[in-house]
Amino acid sequence: MNAEELLHIIRMGETSTVQFKERMDDAYKLGCELTAFSNSFGGQLLIGINDKTGVLNGLSFDELQKMTTLLSNTASENVKPSILIKTQTVDVAGQVILVVSVPEGKNKPYRDNKGIIWVKNGSDKRKVFEIGRASCRERVSFRVEVS
């Protein structure tokens, strides 16, 4: 992804497959976001963008290093079963944005480290409750909790 493509995505705003975060340092909350993407259609978490205004607030080198470590640890330790993510940095006029690509999961349902299942609902995530299993493929039905 280049700067022009990233700016286009930002202009389009948050969706079911795009989420902005200015900063994220809580492994549990990060795990919930990754779980929701994995249980839904996959997507991109863009870190370094204010999620209320869309204004860029790029990461420093130190923040970038800490964030990539947190992401890889969270994807393997706070999402069950663990997932593989792809990270990429994009420089937009000197602002470094971290693009995290999360694929749609193949082993649904994914849970956070507290056993909670999350899905994307528009640009938000929702907690869901498993209500049944069917077929040998272990398809799962969910009930969405709306708060």
Side-chain angles (χ1 to χ4, degrees), residues 22-23 47-50 55-59 63 95-97:
E22 191 161 3
R23 295 293 184 274
I47 302 173
I49 302 169
N50 184 293
V55 172
L56 279 65
N57 183 8
L59 284 75
E63 289 173 317
Q95 299 286 325
V96 177
I97 306 303

Side-chain angles (χ1 to χ4, degrees), residues 64-136:
L64 186 60
Q65 298 307 306
K66 289 178 182 175
M67 192 70 235
T68 55
T69 299
L70 178 63
L71 279 159
S72 61
N73 289 343
T74 300
S76 62
E77 298 169 10
N78 291 41
V79 179
K80 302 299 176 194
S82 61
I83 61 171
L84 295 176
I85 58 172
K86 176 184 170 188
T87 59
Q88 175 185 3
T89 55
V90 179
D91 186 317
V92 181
Q95 299 286 325
V96 177
I97 306 303
L98 182 60
V99 178
V100 183
S101 297
V102 182
E104 178 176 356
K106 296 181 180 175
N107 297 310
K108 298 176 187 180
Y110 292 85
R111 302 170 192 274
D112 66 23
N113 62 359
K114 294 181 181 178
I116 299 170
I117 300 168
W118 297 90
V119 295
K120 294 296 286 180
N121 183 18
S123 63
D124 295 324
K125 66 182 177 304
R126 297 279 186 251
K127 188 184 302 186
V128 296
F129 299 95
E130 193 172 335
I131 60 172
R133 291 188 181 271
S135 86
C136 61

